[in-house]
Amino acid sequence: MLRLGTVGTGWITQQLVEAAAMAGSFELAGVYSRRADKAQAFADKNHAERVVTDYQELLAIDGLNVVYLASPNSLHFDQALQAIRQDITVIVEKPAFSNPQEMAAIMAALADHPQAKLFEAARHVHTPNFHAVARALGGLPAVQGASLTYMKYSSRYDQVLAGGAPNVFTREFSGGALQDLGVYPVYLAVALFGVPAHVAYFPTLIQTGVDGKGVAVLRYGAYDVTVNFGKTSNSAAPSEIYGLKETIEMDSAGELTRVGLRQDGTELTDLSAQPLKNPMLPEVQDFARVLHAPAEKTNIADYHRWLHWTQQVNQVLYGLRVAGNLRFPADDHE
């Protein structure tokens, strides 16, 4: 049984803990929050063994071997580094880190502590529907690009409109649309098409100084992938990958709850798997599989592919920020 500690008490951590319980491979050893009341309420709800308000106390819990980080983006690097240096595996919410400098330091720490592993919680690329899209893409006679959309209005934007500055919409915490919902379509593009040769980003800035929405163009030489995302409005537009007479259709580049293939204008062939009881269950099962049998050849290959995606997505996100003239305080740190 893997002993899990969590950082963060929001809905995403609750979903992860419920997925871990469904997977049957984890026990909740500890809950960390700077606020004791929030940590205690979360622990009571999920039957955690311990509650702590100091991160080092969490890492020191007896037998702890996995920590899940759902803290603000700018805190991921230091928290992950501390865990890895204590041979503790890290599951970190996307985006893993703010820039390639942080990513390089994490990779160096992983090399020094091979017992620890790093998993980025990009849930959609572990789902059966992602694998269905990848198989359909492999069957296309040619690829002529894609249009990927993921846009959902954030309730925290109401705070911005009222004059506030919630963490997810501040430069200090490496926030903004690209660093949140934009990660999903960028991950999808990298996992399906690789790293683009050139990128461009056209952000729509909001009063806190970050991007509330934006359009990115990923240029792959023979074709482009256009990415449309945002947290200040909603979109029901589907996402599509273009072949010749074939089109792969997805309901959303972030959710992937429905996927299908349309050939020569014919009726859509549904490629979707059964709806997931918990959208984080496939990734949790994948991570547990690797951790339980780290020397198995398939697990080694899967882990290194996922870790490579993490590095590549980090590179592309940073390139897009540079193209859009978006800089974070984290970029100024050694």
Side-chain angles (χ1 to χ4, degrees):
M1 189 69 74
L2 298 166
R3 288 177 58 76
L4 172 69
T6 60
V7 176
T9 56
W11 69 268
I12 194 71
T13 309
Q14 182 62 43
Q15 193 170 73
L16 182 283
V17 168
E18 291 174 0
M22 293 169 66
S25 299
F26 296 84
E27 58 186 6
L28 188 54
V31 172
Y32 162 78
S33 174
R34 289 176 297 175
R35 287 186 51 180
D37 57 339
K38 283 191 172 184
Q40 190 63 61
F42 190 90
D44 291 344
K45 181 177 181 179
N46 295 287
H47 311 291
E49 294 177 15
R50 286 192 58 187
V51 168
V52 298
T53 55
D54 181 272
Y55 183 60
Q56 281 299 325
E57 286 186 34
L58 179 73
L59 299 183
I61 289 176
D62 186 46
L64 188 84
N65 45 26
V66 182
V67 63
Y68 169 70
L69 304 179
S71 47
N73 297 340
S74 63
L75 304 183
H76 291 174
F77 170 66
D78 185 61
Q79 291 173 342
L81 193 61
Q82 290 184 59
I84 291 167
R85 285 174 172 170
Q86 297 183 46
D87 297 314
I88 295 171
T89 286
V90 173
I91 300 173
V92 59
E93 264 307 321
K94 52 77 199 160
F97 309 111
S98 296
N99 52 54
Q101 291 76 23
E102 291 184 351
M103 188 76 245
I106 291 294
M107 293 303 296
L110 289 169
D112 290 339
H113 297 270
Q115 183 177 329
K117 289 185 168 28
L118 174 75
F119 300 101
E120 187 172 15
R123 65 178 187 270
H124 60 322
V125 296
H126 293 270
T127 62
N129 282 353
F130 168 78
H131 296 305
V133 169
R135 287 192 297 270
L137 178 63
L140 296 183
V143 177
Q144 298 194 80
S147 176
L148 306 177
T149 297
Y150 193 33
M151 189 176 298
K152 293 170 61 177
Y153 187 89
S154 169
S155 61
R156 295 183 184 179
Y157 188 55
D158 292 335
Q159 298 176 37
V160 174
L161 294 176
N167 293 347
V168 295
F169 283 117
T170 65
R171 293 173 61 254
E172 178 186 0
F173 288 101
S174 300
L178 175 62
Q179 296 291 111
D180 189 354
L181 298 190
V183 179
Y184 289 97
V186 169
Y187 231 105
L188 197 60
V190 167
L192 293 174
F193 308 113
V195 175
H198 303 284
V199 300
Y201 183 40
F202 307 95
T204 300
L205 300 183
I206 59 176
Q207 49 264 55
T208 58
V210 300
D211 52 334
K213 60 190 295 292
V215 176
V217 179
L218 312 181
R219 179 143 288 183
Y220 285 89
Y223 57 85
D224 293 335
V225 173
T226 302
V227 184
N228 186 28
F229 51 86
K231 293 168 63 66
T232 61
S233 58
N234 291 310
S235 174
S239 294
E240 299 178 325
I241 299 172
Y242 309 111
L244 295 177
K245 297 179 180 180
E246 311 84 5
T247 305
I248 299 170
E249 299 183 12
M250 299 158 276
D251 62 335
S252 160
E255 303 299 336
L256 293 183
T257 51
R258 295 188 308 278
V259 299
L261 176 65
R262 196 181 302 275
Q263 301 188 61
D264 199 13
T266 60
E267 185 175 345
L268 185 73
T269 300
D270 189 7
L271 304 177
S272 308
Q274 289 294 320
L276 295 167
K277 294 180 180 179
N278 183 315
M280 298 182 82
L281 181 58
E283 65 176 342
V284 169
Q285 290 173 326
D286 277 346
F287 301 160
R289 167 171 57 84
V290 169
L291 293 173
H292 281 305
E296 204 277 324
K297 289 183 178 180
T298 299
N299 292 342
I300 292 172
D302 285 345
Y303 173 66
H304 285 292
R305 182 174 70 257
W306 302 331
L307 186 59
H308 195 45
W309 285 349
T310 296
Q311 294 174 272
Q312 292 176 321
V313 169
N314 178 267
Q315 173 189 338
V316 173
L317 290 174
Y318 183 72
L320 288 168
R321 283 205 294 115
V322 170
N325 197 29
L326 293 171
R327 191 165 183 85
F328 297 147
D331 300 329
D332 299 324
H333 299 160
E334 292 292 334

